[in-house]
Amino acid sequence: MRIAIVGTGNVGRSLGEALSKSNDVVYGSRRPDEAKSRMGNANVASIDEAAKNADMIILAVPFGAAKEAIHEMHGAEKGKIIVDVSNPLDKNFKWAKGFSESAAEEIAKHAKDAKVVKAFNTIFAENMKTGQVGNEKLTTFIAGDDEDAKAKVMDLARSINMEPIDVGALDKARYIEPAGLLLIELGYGKKLGTGIGINLIKSS
Ligand SMILES: NC(=O)c1ccc[n+]([C@@H]2O[C@H](COP(=O)([O-])OP(=O)(O)OC[C@H]3O[C@@H](n4cnc5c(N)ncnc54)[C@H](OP(=O)(O)O)[C@@H]3O)[C@@H](O)[C@H]2O)c1
C-alpha cells in the first residue's frame, strides 16, 4: 500500500519505520527539504504531493495543526482514508475536549470527503516501532464510520504487530481519546515513562 504520513515528528517517524517494512511510505512535510536533510534517505514531499499519491493518509501532527494540514492537502484527501492519531491537548498540554466531542469527529468535519479512522493514539511513539512493550503486544483502539476503511486500518495495525480492537463508529473516539490522556498522565505525570502501554485482556 502507498501510505502518506503527514508530520515528521515522533509518531510520524516511528510509524514510518514500522510501516515502511511492507509498504511504500512517503512523508508529507511543511518543509520537505529541511525534513529530508534530517531524515536521511526517507521519501519526503510536500503535504499535497504526499497525499495525492497515497492510498491512505496518516495524520501525525498536533491536533491544533490538523485543520491546516488537511487544508494543505488541497483536496487530495478526497475519497481516501485519513487515520487520526491525535491526543487533543491544548498549548498548555491540557485536555482540549469533553465527552460530547472528539478530535476525530472535528477532523472529519474538516475532511468531509475522506473516511476518518481513529487509531494509534494510546500507544507511545517509541513503542509504535515494534507494536509491543516487553513481550506484550499493544492494543490499538479503532473507531470509524466506514466499515471498510476501519477494516483496512485494523489490517494495517496487525501488520505492524499491534492488536486492533474495533470500538465502533467515529463518535466512539470520545472514549478512546481520554485513554490516550490516561497514558500521558501515567507516563509523564506519574513518571512511569514511555515504556508502558495498554493491552486489553480477553478470556478467549
Ligand atoms: N508522541 C507520542 O508518543 C504520541 C503517541 C500517540 C499519539 N500522539 C499524537 O500524534 C500526533 C503527533 O505527535 P508527535 O509526538 O509526533 O508530535 P511532534 O514530534 O511534535 O511532531 C509533529 C509533526 O507535525 C508536523 N506539523 C505540522 N504542523 C505543525 C504545527 N503547526 N506545529 C508543530 N508540528 C506541526 C511537523 O512535521 P513537519 O515539520 O515535517 O511538517 C512535526 O514534526 C499528535 O497529535 C499527538 O497527540 C503522540
Side-chain angles (χ1 to χ4, degrees):
M1 188 154 42
R2 286 170 305 173
I3 300 174
I5 300 182
V6 176
T8 59
N10 298 309
V11 168
R13 291 197 315 273
S14 289
L15 275 181
E17 187 178 317
L19 291 170
S20 57
K21 288 174 189 155
S22 47
N23 299 278
D24 189 3
V25 169
V26 55
Y27 295 91
S29 172
R30 295 166 298 173
R31 291 180 287 272
D33 291 339
E34 185 271 328
K36 244 179 233 172
S37 64
R38 225 177 344 106
M39 295 169 65
N41 55 7
N43 186 4
V44 190
S46 63
I47 292 173
D48 60 343
E49 272 301 311
K52 196 164 68 187
N53 296 313
D55 304 310
M56 184 187 288
I57 301 163
I58 297 180
L59 193 58
V61 303
F63 170 61
K67 182 180 176 186
E68 193 187 321
I70 291 163
H71 181 72
E72 283 304 309
M73 291 174 199
H74 298 133
E77 77 283 6
K78 283 186 182 149
K80 293 181 180 169
I81 297 170
I82 291 185
V83 181
D84 164 37
V85 308
S86 70
N87 283 309
L89 303 178
D90 66 17
K91 286 187 178 112
N92 301 314
F93 287 89
K94 298 285 178 214
W95 194 238
K97 290 283 166 205
F99 283 100
S100 56
E101 54 183 349
S102 67
E105 289 165 279
E106 192 171 319
I107 284 169
K109 284 183 195 146
H110 297 313
K112 283 198 176 58
D113 299 317
K115 301 161 201 166
V116 175
V117 176
K118 187 87 204 179
F120 306 130
N121 68 299
T122 58
I123 298 181
F124 277 124
E126 65 177 56
N127 305 322
M128 291 178 184
K129 295 176 192 171
T130 59
Q132 56 189 66
V133 167
N135 292 325
E136 300 288 339
K137 243 185 204 200
L138 294 171
T139 299
T140 178
F141 301 102
I142 312 281
D145 291 336
D146 185 298
E147 292 299 325
D148 181 57
K150 210 160 48 173
K152 286 197 169 94
V153 175
M154 291 177 76
D155 281 345
L156 196 74
R158 283 185 201 99
S159 79
I160 54 173
N161 197 38
M162 297 171 186
E163 181 72 37
I165 299 282
D166 182 356
V167 184
L170 195 63
D171 62 2
K172 295 297 184 289
R174 298 173 190 184
Y175 308 152
I176 302 174
E177 291 173 6
L181 185 67
L182 171 67
L183 206 73
I184 293 166
E185 184 59 27
L186 293 172
Y188 294 104
K190 287 292 176 192
K191 299 191 179 11
L192 295 183
T194 54
I196 58 171
I198 299 173
N199 178 349
L200 192 75
I201 298 170
K202 291 168 282 177
S203 61
S204 59

